[in-house]
Amino acid sequence: QACTYPCQCPSQPLQCPPGTSHVLDACGCCKVCARQLGELCSLQKPCDHHKGLYCDFSKIHRGSGICLAHEGATCDLLGKIYHNGESFQPTCKLQCICMDGAIGCIPLCSDDLRLPSPECPNPRRVKFHNKCCEEWICEEGSEENRFETAMAVFREDPAHKPELNNLQENCLVQTTEWSACSKSCGMGISARVTNDNPQCRLEKETRLCMVRPCDFPVEKTKKGKKCVRTPKPRQSLHFEFSGCTSTRSYRPKFCGSCTDGRCCTPYVTSTVEVEFRCPEGDFFQRKMMFIKVCSCHYDCPRDNDIFLATYHRRMIGDHV
């Protein structure tokens, strides 16, 4: 089909299956759901290049092709072999993909947490026999018990009981500490749980973090010192995340190293909103950790990135 300009794209937001990328069509106009391994493809229906797939036009005629994967290592999961670029569901709760010998998965079930509130005093997760994911139900109790439970989260005011229209005003904000960064070098994820939102609902919140770049030079320690000072790059740098680059440059502090076998990790941090721009022109914002002070200790975190073998891989445009 010939391209028509100016571009005319559907007004409705794109709805793609979990784990499917949003990619530009051949006209560079509209985002479409990328075709997966073995599916029919065309210029207007491109393959998921983020997963190393390409449209092979040699096997099917009339402007259509079939999505194939570039050569790469297969994956072995519990004795079952998956091809490079192949998507699969080992359970109803996970959507996984094989990428050159490494398996990465995204959860299909929400892991949200819920706190007692006036409209839901006793939240409980229940497994229904005809559904894969557990769902929240609100158990009703006596009127007196209903507000006793909810008051664990809301300020006690003898003048009136909390009403639905002033949840934020009555909310007792509860927030956990940020978890350790998921990677000891390079870009990782840190998480916490908080109810600091208009619904006063306990939710998981994440931020990007970088303890140190993987190619960061290690400075020598001075005589008698056990910790290397917190290094700062001489030149400002742009952060990269999933093939996208921060719109402005930064001079962040990174953690050095400890000479006595201990780990050097962030001790005091702040959280800043960072804007990223992607090769396909999209912008998005993510919270990111900025280090103020590091410390040496024996409680060493372990890397838990899902792509353990491919930490260096640039997954262009997989931010969607």
Side-chain angles (χ1 to χ4, degrees):
Q1 295 176 3
C3 299
T4 56
Y5 298 99
C7 299
Q8 292 183 339
C9 301
S11 57
Q12 297 295 324
L14 199 59
Q15 298 290 334
C16 300
T20 301
S21 304
H22 298 184
V23 295
L24 284 171
D25 59 23
C27 298
C29 274
C30 308
K31 288 290 183 77
V32 295
C33 297
R35 298 291 164 146
Q36 303 303 302
L37 187 68
E39 293 182 349
L40 293 176
C41 53
S42 66
L43 291 175
Q44 297 302 325
K45 298 174 182 178
C47 298
D48 202 334
H49 62 272
H50 305 144
K51 298 175 182 176
L53 304 181
Y54 68 97
C55 196
D56 185 348
F57 291 100
S58 65
K59 294 179 171 55
I60 299 180
H61 300 290
R62 295 183 183 174
S64 292
I66 189 167
C67 288
L68 298 179
H70 294 288
E71 281 191 39
T74 58
C75 302
D76 183 348
L77 182 64
L78 301 175
K80 190 167 183 181
I81 303 299
Y82 297 96
H83 296 289
N84 179 40
E86 184 177 357
S87 295
F88 59 95
Q89 279 188 249
T91 74
C92 64
K93 294 184 177 182
L94 289 175
Q95 177 75 41
C96 302
I97 181 174
C98 171
M99 289 188 68
D100 198 14
I103 296 175
C105 302
I106 58 171
L108 298 178
C109 296
S110 170
D111 61 349
D112 63 328
L113 301 164
R114 190 156 184 178
L115 215 57
S117 61
E119 78 274 17
C120 187
N122 297 306
R124 190 163 62 90
R125 292 193 87 147
V126 175
K127 178 76 174 73
F128 293 98
H129 72 278
N130 59 339
K131 294 186 179 178
C132 174
C133 303
E134 294 178 333
E135 294 185 5
W136 285 107
I137 63 166
C138 298
E139 289 188 341
E140 291 293 334
S142 66
E143 189 69 18
E144 186 178 345
N145 183 48
R146 174 186 167 99
F147 281 104
E148 277 181 9
T149 310
M151 277 305 198
V153 186
F154 295 88
R155 292 187 175 87
E156 204 161 343
D157 184 353
H160 64 279
K161 292 178 179 179
E163 299 292 338
L164 295 181
N165 59 359
N166 60 354
L167 288 177
Q168 190 72 38
E169 186 182 330
N170 291 320
C171 187
L172 282 174
V173 175
Q174 300 176 49
T175 304
T176 64
E177 294 293 325
W178 287 103
S179 66
C181 193
S182 63
K183 299 183 74 172
S184 56
C185 75
M187 195 70 80
I189 298 290
S190 176
R192 71 177 180 181
V193 174
T194 181
N195 66 335
D196 189 8
N197 53 64
Q199 293 77 34
C200 195
R201 184 173 294 168
L202 207 59
E203 293 177 343
K204 188 176 180 182
E205 187 179 31
T206 60
R207 66 176 179 177
L208 300 175
C209 52
M210 186 185 288
V211 179
R212 61 185 66 82
C214 290
D215 56 354
F216 203 64
V218 178
E219 296 185 19
K220 294 182 179 179
T221 53
K222 293 181 180 178
K223 192 174 182 182
K225 294 271 188 181
K226 290 186 177 179
C227 294
V228 175
R229 68 180 180 83
T230 304
K232 201 171 189 178
R234 292 176 182 173
Q235 294 181 336
S236 59
L237 55 85
H238 289 269
F239 293 116
E240 286 194 7
F241 175 60
S242 295
C244 305
T245 308
S246 61
T247 53
R248 56 161 291 194
S249 59
Y250 299 87
R251 286 194 66 208
K253 289 182 178 178
F254 297 122
C255 287
S257 57
C258 312
T259 59
D260 54 0
R262 293 184 294 170
C263 302
C264 188
T265 58
Y267 181 63
V268 180
T269 67
S270 62
T271 305
V272 176
E273 285 274 358
V274 174
E275 184 181 59
F276 290 86
R277 186 181 189 281
C278 304
E280 293 174 333
D282 293 355
F283 289 86
F284 68 94
Q285 288 188 327
R286 288 294 298 268
K287 289 186 173 72
M288 184 157 182
M289 175 190 79
F290 279 78
I291 299 169
K292 292 186 176 180
V293 180
C294 298
S295 67
C296 290
H297 56 87
Y298 288 106
D299 184 19
C300 300
R302 294 182 179 181
D303 283 0
N304 60 358
D305 184 34
I306 61 168
F307 288 106
L308 286 175
T310 54
Y311 67 87
H312 58 279
R313 182 194 300 278
R314 283 192 62 182
M315 297 176 65
I316 304 299
D318 69 343
H319 59 284
V320 176

